[in-house]
Amino acid sequence: MATTAGRGILALGTLAVLLLIGVVLALLVDPFTRMPIEVDGASEWVARVLLVLAVAWVVIGMLAARTRLVGRPGAAAARATWIASTRPWRARESTLGVLPLDRWFMILIPGFLLVATRIIQARGDGVGSVVLAVAGWLVFALAVRLLLGTRSPWPIIAAVGGALVLRCIVTLAALSFSGPEGVWPALWSIGAVRVLYLAIVLGLVGWVFVVAGWSLEPQLGRRRAAGVALAGVGAVFALPTATAAAIGATEALRGWNSQIGVLPWHLARMTGLYDARFPTEVLVVAAVVAALMTITGIVLALPLRAEERRRRVSSS
């Protein structure tokens, strides 16, 4: 019980730190985010439907164990993603005994919500931005899968999938009221609302990767779990930043910067970086940092050699 309470306090503390970092970043970009983004009426209604589906998925996950829903197809998957994304130290136990159909739901539901949300965000920007956004997460999944080896991937799938659903809910909530007659543009004119929204979005971006590493700790230990998460994050950002630096920052920004999640929900356009000239050097530095993160993560994720393991055990 004490361990569970301690982990819960640690999780709340981590969320508080992520939100604090999000507030700092939001305050830095706030002077450039005064112009709200609007979607058309059809996109607004699609966002509302998706929001209802995403909230229903979370509610089912919260209540499945206490109701008859637990025996329904998909209920076990919803429960696993909810537990793993809010209590990632229980990710492994939440996926034990999950049937193959529910495992598919654990992948398809968060994936569908992610792609659908991106399509609404990218309305008018072409399909390329959506493809690049999804490709970023596929790179993350591939890096994690390779580093896991023969270990089960389902704990991290449940944790990351649940965290993505939570992030989509926040984005869809804003998109649902961003139509021609929506109230979001009026709310966006209030500085506190802008900062709060951006802080939550940025905090949830960090939480996705926190739960990714935390969910693997029971299987790999702290060092290797942190390494897998770090390598995945580095791989996500290394590929697009290196590509953008190679083809030209300004052109690349038109296609992916506002969509891939580095600057969520068209933040790049609001900050004026979408169409303005952007220094390629910044992307080169970002690509180098991301590559170093990937290499460091891979080194940490590799299992210890037998001799080194024996030395550590004997020294402890």
Side-chain angles (χ1 to χ4, degrees):
M1 184 66 68
T3 302
T4 301
R7 287 172 173 171
I9 294 173
L10 179 59
L12 291 175
T14 303
L15 276 172
V17 171
L18 291 174
L19 287 176
L20 182 60
I21 295 173
V23 169
V24 173
L25 295 176
L27 289 173
L28 290 176
V29 303
D30 181 65
F32 308 98
T33 61
R34 303 299 169 83
M35 185 178 66
I37 289 179
E38 295 185 5
V39 298
D40 56 53
S43 297
E44 184 182 35
W45 277 104
V46 173
R48 290 172 180 173
V49 173
L50 291 174
L51 178 62
V52 171
L53 293 176
V55 171
W57 178 257
V58 172
V59 171
I60 290 173
M62 296 170 63
L63 303 178
R66 300 178 178 87
T67 64
R68 295 179 180 178
L69 286 173
V70 71
R72 304 282 180 160
R79 179 177 180 272
T81 56
W82 167 250
I83 292 176
S85 62
T86 56
R87 286 151 287 175
W89 58 90
R90 293 184 57 190
R92 186 180 183 185
E93 67 175 81
S94 71
T95 58
L96 293 177
V98 175
L99 297 176
L101 178 60
D102 285 296
R103 289 183 174 181
W104 277 107
F105 276 121
M106 287 164 53
I107 298 174
L108 295 178
I109 298 299
F112 166 75
L113 288 172
L114 174 65
V115 173
T117 302
R118 288 299 186 186
I119 290 175
I120 297 175
Q121 289 178 290
R123 193 74 178 263
D125 292 336
V127 181
S129 57
V130 179
V131 173
L132 283 170
V134 176
W137 289 109
L138 290 178
V139 169
F140 174 76
L142 178 61
V144 170
R145 176 66 269 188
L146 291 175
L147 291 173
L148 275 178
T150 58
R151 305 278 185 170
S152 172
W154 295 110
I156 191 173
I157 289 174
V160 172
L164 286 176
V165 171
L166 295 177
R167 187 184 169 204
C168 287
I169 287 175
V170 175
T171 303
L172 290 169
L175 292 172
S176 297
F177 300 98
S178 298
E181 299 179 357
V183 300
W184 185 249
L187 291 175
W188 193 259
S189 63
I190 304 173
V193 173
R194 288 196 306 272
V195 171
L196 179 61
Y197 174 79
L198 294 176
I200 292 175
V201 170
L202 293 169
L204 285 176
V205 172
W207 184 247
V208 171
F209 298 111
V210 168
V211 300
W214 205 338
S215 66
L216 294 174
E217 183 183 352
Q219 293 175 282
L220 303 178
R222 292 183 180 179
R223 177 184 63 85
R224 294 189 63 194
V228 170
L230 187 63
V233 174
V236 167
F237 294 115
L239 180 61
T241 50
T243 303
I247 67 176
T250 302
E251 291 301 321
L253 283 170
R254 296 178 187 275
W256 61 263
N257 192 44
S258 65
Q259 300 297 330
I260 205 164
V262 180
L263 297 176
W265 199 46
H266 284 283
L267 186 55
R269 178 180 292 173
M270 291 187 288
T271 57
L273 299 180
Y274 191 81
D275 296 314
R277 184 174 181 79
F278 191 77
T280 304
E281 292 79 7
V282 175
L283 289 177
V284 172
V285 172
V288 171
V289 171
L292 291 175
M293 288 175 59
T294 304
I295 296 172
T296 303
I298 291 174
V299 172
L300 290 174
L302 293 176
L304 295 175
R305 293 182 178 180
E307 295 181 0
E308 184 179 356
R309 191 182 301 112
R310 283 196 296 269
R311 284 199 303 267
R312 291 199 174 188
V313 171
S314 61
S315 61
S316 60

